[in-house]
Amino acid sequence: MRQPVENIEPPTLPRSMRDPEARAVRRAMLDLPHIMPLAKFAADLRVRHNIEVPDFDPLDGGIRSRILFLKEKPGPMTSTSRSGRVGSGFISRDNDDPTAEATFLFMQAAGIPRDDTLMWNVVPGWNGTRKITRQELIEGVAEVRNLMKLLPDIEVVVLVGKKAARAEPLLEGTGVIIRHSLHNSPLVRASRPEEWARIPAVWGEAYSKITHKLA
């Protein structure tokens, strides 16, 4: 018998979304109270921008999150429509790719509880390329303001990567603490390995600024 979705325990190892059953369980969780408003937000983006927008991961904190990790653009393993190896349909540290695996391990190393976190991208949709045009960046940054309206408990936003940093002006004056981080992709690891290895410490320092941590 399948475990009730609200009682699903987070995986202890990275890349668990390679399992179709794991992906099915996450989809079944999208109507839970902590994630439903964000699922509706993603659905609205799909309609208004006519692009494939992955869902937020229901095993993260959802609207109860205290710290938002805002990255640049979804990768191919978030996509359910790509040819070949099918992606998860979620922005998740559990996705089957190197960047997600690094995220999973860095969160563990930083000691950041999953229930306190939410992950998203400044450019919310995947369109078949990792390249980011000026127009999609402008449109995506504007959507960050709409997202923040759904996240009343966010205290810290970590802007992961140079493109994500473009959202900073929208966050100024909101009362959230803003921190910057290198992107944790393999490309950054290859070009700046020592700084890449320090990313967990940067994330941990950002999390230390939260004053009302979940029990």
Side-chain angles (χ1 to χ4, degrees):
M1 181 179 297
R2 177 181 289 179
Q3 188 176 5
V5 293
E6 62 270 21
N7 297 326
I8 296 296
E9 290 293 328
T12 57
L13 295 174
R15 299 193 183 231
S16 60
M17 283 287 211
R18 69 180 59 171
D19 181 358
E21 175 68 12
R23 301 194 294 268
V25 168
R26 303 293 168 94
R27 286 193 292 272
M29 298 176 73
L30 287 174
D31 61 352
L32 293 179
H34 77 289
I35 204 70
M36 184 185 294
L38 298 177
K40 291 180 178 178
F41 174 77
D44 179 64
L45 290 177
R46 293 180 197 117
V47 173
R48 289 193 290 108
H49 295 281
N50 191 29
I51 196 169
E52 184 176 14
V53 177
D55 278 299
F56 295 81
D57 191 335
L59 287 186
D60 292 345
I63 61 173
R64 303 189 300 254
S65 301
R66 304 289 184 175
I67 181 168
L68 171 65
F69 288 84
L70 194 60
K71 296 189 177 184
E72 296 182 340
K73 184 176 183 177
M77 290 311 294
T78 67
S79 172
T80 59
S81 63
R82 68 192 300 263
S83 59
R85 200 157 53 107
V86 176
S88 69
F90 292 90
I91 300 298
S92 175
R93 73 192 71 190
D94 301 316
N95 282 343
D96 189 15
D97 64 77
T99 300
E101 180 173 1
T103 300
F104 185 102
L105 296 175
F106 284 2
M107 291 287 189
Q108 284 187 335
I112 303 175
R114 187 161 187 161
D115 284 351
D116 270 340
T117 67
L118 190 71
M119 294 192 300
W120 196 238
N121 292 276
V122 169
V123 176
W126 168 252
N127 59 356
T129 176
R130 288 187 173 89
K131 293 180 180 179
I132 299 176
T133 67
R134 182 174 181 273
Q135 185 59 35
E136 67 180 334
L137 184 58
I138 290 171
E139 293 175 357
V141 166
E143 294 293 353
V144 173
R145 187 186 301 275
N146 295 324
L147 172 61
M148 293 302 293
K149 294 175 183 177
L150 302 175
L151 304 174
D153 296 330
I154 289 291
E155 297 185 40
V156 179
V157 177
V158 182
L159 301 172
V160 184
K162 291 181 179 179
K163 297 293 194 304
R166 291 283 295 273
E168 183 168 3
L170 292 181
L171 301 171
E172 293 173 348
T174 62
V176 301
I177 297 169
I178 302 170
R179 289 291 185 268
H180 293 262
S181 163
L182 285 180
H183 201 286
N184 56 304
S185 71
L187 290 176
V188 175
R189 181 180 187 178
S191 63
R192 305 165 72 176
E194 292 184 0
E195 293 174 81
W196 188 88
R198 289 197 292 271
I199 292 175
V202 173
W203 291 2
E205 187 276 335
Y207 182 69
S208 74
K209 301 301 180 183
I210 294 177
T211 57
H212 298 92
K213 298 180 177 68
L214 297 181

